[in-house]
Amino acid sequence: MSRFSRVLGRLVASLLAILLVAGVAFANLSPEMGGKPTKAERAAYAKTGRYQDGEFRNLIPTSVSTGGSMAGMLWKFLFGKVPNSLPPAPLPTRPLDSLSITRKTPELLRATWFGHSASLVEIAGYNILLDPMLSVKMGPVSWVTPKRYNASLAITAEQLPAIEAVLISHDHYDHLDYQSIRRLKDKTRRFYVPLGVGAHLRAWGVAPDKIRELDWNDSVQLPGLTIVSTPARHFSGRGLTNRNSTSWTSWVLKSATKRVFYSGDGGYGPHFQAIGRQHGPFDLALLECGQYDAQWSQIHMTPEQSVQAGLDVRARVMLPVHWGAFSEAFHAWNDPIQRATAEAARLQLPITTPELGQPVTPGAGPLPQLPWWQRVGQ
């Protein structure tokens, strides 16, 4: 390597370090960072057996990165080029009629996906929101984070009717969104979150009596509906200094006649079979399917693993989520759904592929299954 190359490399590394420090300093001043669990809360978390040395742990050993350096990943993220990483046009969206959400019976099971993981599940007469990232911009430094494909969603937080519960899987920015929570806090009756995440909501003005933190296998009983926190294999943190200071979870919804599973984020593991044995079969499973990379093999699933997870939890229908809104990994924007539909067909797992905002009603006729992603931009 020439002397010029070495000097240039050091200069680039120094500039990246300066930008990183400036970004962290700015982010730390932003309310989007949220809050911190109290000393008493941390002491209580230690009694769970999953919280050691200030961090939550997974059921099995899990590494956030399975190869390569953080600097290399940052360089790849900032300067790497991925063919077809963004769709050539906005994705087809069906505006959601908020009045239709209020017209339902307790027997109805209906799910509406808004892109990425944000979804509305109507079950047992309740409106349940999953990871409602309903903003166009993400995080405190939006010029660094990925941009949403569409400039608007099928429905805004303000247009939604009263929400019985918001369920959060973990505190990453693409799942726990400051702006969305601020807009939803007054129309939501309860927020059910993993251990530690309540501190963020309190910092954002959510009344403490609306928040309940659940450990894995804890449950909440509503009239006609049971909500269960179940394991996931992931990590947490909204900054560089609070990794795994809060927990992460998947969710089970059970009424007298219907069952729904939401995976949240996470790598493949034996917990899916355990959840299927204990709580399945599920009429519908919303499963992470997107934002994967070989370096993240233990914290995100490939589409083929997502399909296998659907089989493991004994899903009657799989709805792939965690795609269709942001490009956060080094794959084509439509790679997740192409691979998932192919694998589901091979393994004979029924799969539904709605457009953004298109309701899915299992057991009430044909499910949305058109390959709409093939005609985007045509």
Side-chain angles (χ1 to χ4, degrees):
M1 181 182 291
S2 68
R3 183 173 181 274
F4 174 77
S5 297
R6 290 195 297 271
V7 171
L8 180 61
R10 286 196 293 268
L11 178 61
V12 171
S14 298
L15 289 173
L16 287 174
I18 292 171
L19 287 172
L20 184 61
V21 170
V24 170
F26 176 81
N28 282 333
L29 297 175
S30 170
E32 298 219 18
M33 285 294 290
K36 297 179 180 179
T38 66
K39 184 177 180 179
E41 287 173 328
R42 294 196 300 272
Y45 302 155
K47 297 177 182 178
T48 67
R50 295 199 301 111
Y51 186 77
Q52 302 172 23
D53 301 322
E55 293 189 2
F56 284 92
R57 307 292 175 91
N58 284 290
L59 290 172
I60 59 178
T62 299
S63 174
V64 172
S65 177
T66 54
S69 66
M70 181 62 71
M73 178 61 72
L74 180 62
W75 181 276
K76 185 177 178 182
F77 180 77
L78 292 175
F79 303 110
K81 298 294 183 182
V82 178
N84 203 28
S85 64
L86 299 174
L91 305 189
T93 301
R94 300 195 182 190
L96 183 61
D97 177 9
S98 59
L99 292 178
S100 68
I101 301 172
T102 64
R103 297 193 298 267
K104 56 176 171 279
T105 64
E107 295 77 26
L108 174 71
L109 170 60
R110 183 167 57 192
T112 307
W113 173 58
F114 303 127
H116 208 60
S117 295
S119 306
L120 172 70
V121 175
E122 300 166 77
I123 183 172
Y126 297 110
N127 294 326
I128 310 293
L129 271 178
L130 307 176
D131 285 352
M133 202 303 175
L134 302 177
S135 296
V136 174
K137 296 181 179 179
M138 183 198 307
V141 190
S142 60
W143 51 272
V144 173
T145 52
K147 197 172 184 180
R148 198 174 198 112
Y149 302 155
N150 290 17
S152 61
L153 285 82
I155 195 168
T156 66
E158 291 83 357
Q159 292 170 331
L160 284 167
I163 302 299
E164 175 64 29
V166 165
L167 308 185
I168 301 297
S169 65
H170 63 295
D171 71 358
H172 287 159
Y173 291 102
D174 55 334
H175 294 259
L176 178 61
D177 177 55
Y178 166 73
Q179 294 292 346
S180 298
I181 297 299
R182 293 280 295 176
R183 293 174 179 132
L184 289 166
K185 65 184 181 70
D186 293 329
K187 66 171 57 183
T188 300
R189 186 177 180 186
R190 291 286 186 272
F191 291 82
Y192 298 116
V193 300
L195 299 177
V197 174
H200 298 316
L201 303 188
R202 294 194 301 267
W204 299 339
V206 177
D209 62 358
K210 285 188 171 186
I211 304 167
R212 179 162 173 185
E213 296 185 357
L214 282 77
D215 193 11
W216 291 344
N217 301 314
D218 287 346
S219 63
V220 173
Q221 188 71 54
L222 305 179
L225 182 67
T226 301
I227 301 173
V228 188
S229 169
T230 46
R233 188 185 184 195
H234 202 48
F235 72 110
S236 68
R238 295 176 75 82
L240 297 179
T241 60
N242 63 351
R243 175 171 288 183
N244 297 341
S245 62
T246 65
S247 187
W248 46 92
T249 192
S250 56
W251 293 103
V252 167
L253 303 173
K254 296 192 288 188
S255 73
T257 58
K258 305 294 183 181
R259 297 191 178 204
V260 174
F261 175 68
Y262 169 50
S263 68
D265 276 8
Y268 183 74
H271 58 286
F272 288 116
Q273 284 192 356
I275 291 168
R277 286 193 300 267
Q278 183 174 1
H279 300 289
F282 293 97
D283 299 276
L284 181 68
L286 296 92
L287 291 163
E288 174 208 289
C289 184
Q291 321 318 319
Y292 42 83
D293 185 82
Q295 194 166 327
W296 307 331
S297 61
Q298 296 182 7
I299 56 170
H300 284 293
M301 294 186 286
T302 64
E304 293 77 17
Q305 290 175 320
S306 298
V307 173
Q308 184 59 54
L311 293 171
D312 290 352
V313 300
R314 300 164 64 201
R316 295 190 175 110
V317 178
M318 171 186 176
L319 171 55
V321 299
H322 207 236
W323 73 284
F326 304 100
S327 292
E328 300 179 280
F330 311 108
H331 58 67
W333 75 272
N334 54 2
D335 189 62
I337 195 63
Q338 291 182 18
R339 289 170 58 178
T341 51
E343 184 70 356
R346 187 181 76 85
L347 297 180
Q348 298 183 333
L349 174 65
I351 188 170
T352 183
T353 56
E355 295 180 353
L356 307 184
Q358 182 180 12
V360 172
T361 310
L367 295 169
Q369 292 179 321
L370 292 177
W372 54 264
W373 55 91
Q374 296 178 0
R375 64 176 189 271
V376 173
Q378 293 182 356

